[in-house]
Amino acid sequence: MWPALSRLVFAAPKPSYSASSFPGELMWIPRPGYGYEHCRAGDCFPAALLYCPNARYCVLYFHSNGEDIGQCHNFGCGF
């Protein structure tokens, strides 16, 4: 019951982006138990890798309830 309630209360927003919105930055991370070769839309988490040539570290930012990458992309670019 709790997972269903959690999905209802913390529903992920509909994506404001498409697979071609961020060329060279958008990638798909498979859920546990799935491999890259079989990764489909419902089996993977979208992520954006934002390149910064002067960066010393790599920061991976994601939100557990599926925050929309399209809405936080500008924040990530300015970070």
Side-chain angles (χ1 to χ4, degrees), residues 3-66:
L5 181 61
S6 180
R7 279 185 292 231
L8 180 64
V9 174
F10 302 108
K14 292 186 184 208
S16 64
Y17 61 94
S18 70
S20 61
S21 294
F22 309 116
E25 296 177 341
L26 192 61
M27 65 177 139
W28 302 94
I29 301 172
R31 293 178 189 261
Y34 293 90
Y36 285 105
E37 63 276 357
H38 302 295
C39 192
R40 296 188 187 135
D43 302 334
C44 302
F45 299 101
L49 179 62
L50 307 175
Y51 178 73
C52 179
N54 299 322
R56 184 173 175 188
Y57 300 100
C58 176
V59 176
L60 178 62
Y61 172 79
F62 59 92
H63 197 271
S64 63
N65 74 343

